[in-house]
Amino acid sequence: MTPPTGFTYSPTTLTVDLDAIADNWRILRDRTAHKRAAAVVKADGYGLGLAPVARTLAAAGCDTFFVAHLDAGLELAEIFADRAPRPRICVMNGLMPGHEPVYAEHDLWPSLNDLGQIDLWRTYCRRVERKLPAALHCDTGMSRTGLDRTEAETVIGEPERLTGIDLRFLMSHMACADTPSHKMNREQQQRFADLSNRLPKPAEGAMLAASSATFLGPDWHFDWIRPGVCLYGVRPNTDGPNPMRPVVSLESKILQVRQIDAPETVGYGASHRVEGPTRIATLAVGYADGYLRSLSNTAKAFVGEAEVPVVGRVSMDLITVDVSGLPQIGPGDSVSLIGPHQDVDAVADQAGTIGYEILTSLGARYARRYIGGAA
Ligand SMILES: *Cc1c(COP(=O)(O)O)cnc(C)c1O
């Protein structure tokens, strides 16, 4: 018997609330006076599925999207093929030699991240006799992508380097915006403001803030904001309650329950040991599903209102939880791993990481259920 496509026997379900994503985009947009918010949907929409996420955001009114890779830009162009006007798609990782015609043909905007990339795009524009759109990224404290200080000064001194390019955005990226008290926040804001005053004016304007910097205040908003992670429900900082709506929940059904009566060990490395009567439930979730191994012996799960600790090491395909307090439950009963009792950030805290990593690690083996939205 062959199951229909898309069907899965997986006992673990990842639920993605698309309406919450749309609401989160509006919440972020409405924090700015100018109400111009792009959306970052890199890494497959932060692991939640590029197509449903992007369609939902476009239906909510978002017309400008950022991805990291050219491949994702092409995928997104395909997803939006039936939308007119087609939302704008900017590829942040930068222009590689030979890729110019791909950007032009699919109407993708490259982010120009150094002087060489500016030259490549300018040469191509001249050759095809078209003024093609692009964003200019200036580094202000990440030492990652973008023009460095010297390169930015070169463009300020020789603005003709941009002649023939349809410059749409000037952008930069914040290093410490999730720590509102960090002194780099103001330094980068000032450096970017200075650059945007002295560089040629882009058609759409300047953009600095991703999710966290949107909450630093109007000085960081410039003409556009460019949030990612908060769209997916992750907190912008740890300073107060999370203003975003939760988007993701993860539930699994118990495979098996082991009643242990004598002293016994649980899992690889025998890292957990039970001394007396204990019930251990096994779930089909492991590090191969993005349930990080660092959650071993520290994470929590919930059965209804009851907290059940993850005990023993996280295996590739399985975890074990102590359900001693719940004598009634057995195979097939649901356990919540991300949900109303603990959000993505709580799980990230338990794993010693950030919500971004939890989201983008979410596995392909989960059954995925989308609720709401335009998917
Ligand atoms: C990832 C990224 C964003 C979005 O950041 P969030 O913190 O997820 O909002 C914006 N701009 C650049 C350059 C990025 O790399």
Side-chain angles (χ1 to χ4, degrees):
M1 191 182 82
T2 317
T5 30
F7 177 84
T8 164
Y9 290 104
S10 172
T12 311
T13 303
L14 177 76
T15 303
V16 179
D17 184 343
L18 295 171
D19 287 342
I21 294 178
D23 280 350
N24 286 338
W25 180 76
R26 291 183 201 103
I27 290 170
L28 291 158
R29 179 198 62 189
D30 293 345
R31 288 196 68 94
T32 68
H34 53 62
K35 309 244 187 289
R36 284 193 295 271
V40 180
V41 293
K42 63 193 179 188
D44 198 33
Y46 286 55
L48 304 188
L50 181 60
V53 164
R55 287 201 185 106
T56 298
L57 289 165
C62 180
D63 67 358
T64 306
F65 289 80
F66 284 79
V67 293
H69 287 261
L70 176 54
D71 292 320
L74 292 170
E75 201 183 331
L76 194 51
E78 189 67 36
I79 290 164
F80 285 149
D82 57 351
R83 274 197 94 84
R86 205 205 70 191
R88 294 97 57 87
I89 303 168
C90 184
V91 179
M92 295 190 289
N93 276 4
L95 183 63
M96 295 289 123
H99 293 173
E100 304 91 319
V102 185
Y103 281 90
E105 183 185 338
H106 297 274
D107 191 17
L108 304 173
W109 301 3
S111 172
L112 305 176
N113 293 346
D114 64 26
L115 291 180
Q117 295 181 17
I118 295 176
D119 284 347
L120 273 182
W121 198 235
R122 188 170 171 225
T123 305
Y124 184 77
C125 288
R126 199 181 303 139
R127 182 142 65 78
V128 298
E129 296 177 351
R130 286 171 64 195
K131 210 171 172 190
L132 294 166
L136 181 67
H137 187 148
C138 290
D139 180 34
T140 54
M142 290 287 283
S143 302
R144 206 174 61 166
T145 52
L147 278 69
D148 65 22
R149 276 175 199 272
T150 317
E151 289 182 307
E153 290 305 327
T154 302
V155 176
I156 289 164
E158 301 163 23
E160 64 278 8
R161 282 175 180 265
L162 296 170
T163 309
I165 293 174
D166 176 14
L167 186 64
R168 305 308 285 267
F169 287 119
L170 172 66
M171 56 193 270
S172 191
H173 192 52
M174 299 287 293
C176 306
D178 61 349
T179 309
S181 61
H182 203 291
K183 70 175 176 34
M184 259 189 78
N185 293 329
R186 180 56 76 182
E187 287 167 12
Q188 281 191 276
Q189 188 274 341
Q190 284 172 348
R191 221 164 125 185
F192 187 67
D194 174 60
L195 287 171
S196 70
N197 284 334
R198 294 158 64 223
L199 280 162
K201 291 276 163 285
E204 309 280 341
M207 50 164 38
L208 175 61
S211 297
S212 298
T214 300
F215 293 85
L216 293 178
D219 286 357
W220 281 264
H221 294 165
F222 290 88
D223 301 305
W224 281 80
I225 57 167
R226 191 179 67 247
V229 81
C230 280
L231 299 172
Y232 313 103
V234 170
R235 66 189 174 208
N237 55 54
T238 50
D239 275 25
N242 184 353
M244 312 319 298
R245 275 189 63 187
V247 169
V248 171
S249 57
L250 185 63
E251 289 235 327
S252 194
K253 293 198 166 63
I254 294 172
L255 299 177
Q256 192 171 346
V257 176
R258 164 87 68 252
Q259 174 68 45
I260 298 171
D261 296 313
E264 191 57 275
T265 63
V266 180
Y268 286 119
S271 66
H272 183 72
R273 189 180 164 83
V274 298
E275 299 300 340
T278 306
R279 276 161 57 82
I280 300 290
T282 301
L283 305 174
V285 174
Y287 59 77
D289 303 295
Y291 198 82
L292 305 180
R293 200 161 164 278
S294 55
L295 291 165
S296 301
N297 285 309
T298 61
K300 293 183 277 188
F302 286 85
V303 176
E305 297 300 310
E307 185 180 315
V308 292
V310 172
V311 292
R313 290 221 180 118
V314 173
S315 304
M316 185 183 293
D317 307 298
L318 300 169
I319 54 172
T320 36
V321 296
D322 186 331
V323 293
S324 302
L326 303 166
Q328 320 300 345
I329 71 157
D333 288 334
S334 279
V335 177
S336 164
L337 298 168
I338 301 172
H341 298 291
Q342 61 180 359
D343 58 13
V344 173
D345 292 303
V347 175
D349 289 344
Q350 291 156 19
T353 183
I354 50 176
Y356 300 73
E357 191 179 25
I358 299 294
L359 284 183
T360 56
S361 303
L362 291 167
R365 297 191 297 188
Y366 299 139
R368 283 178 181 236
R369 188 164 71 99
Y370 291 95
I371 55 174

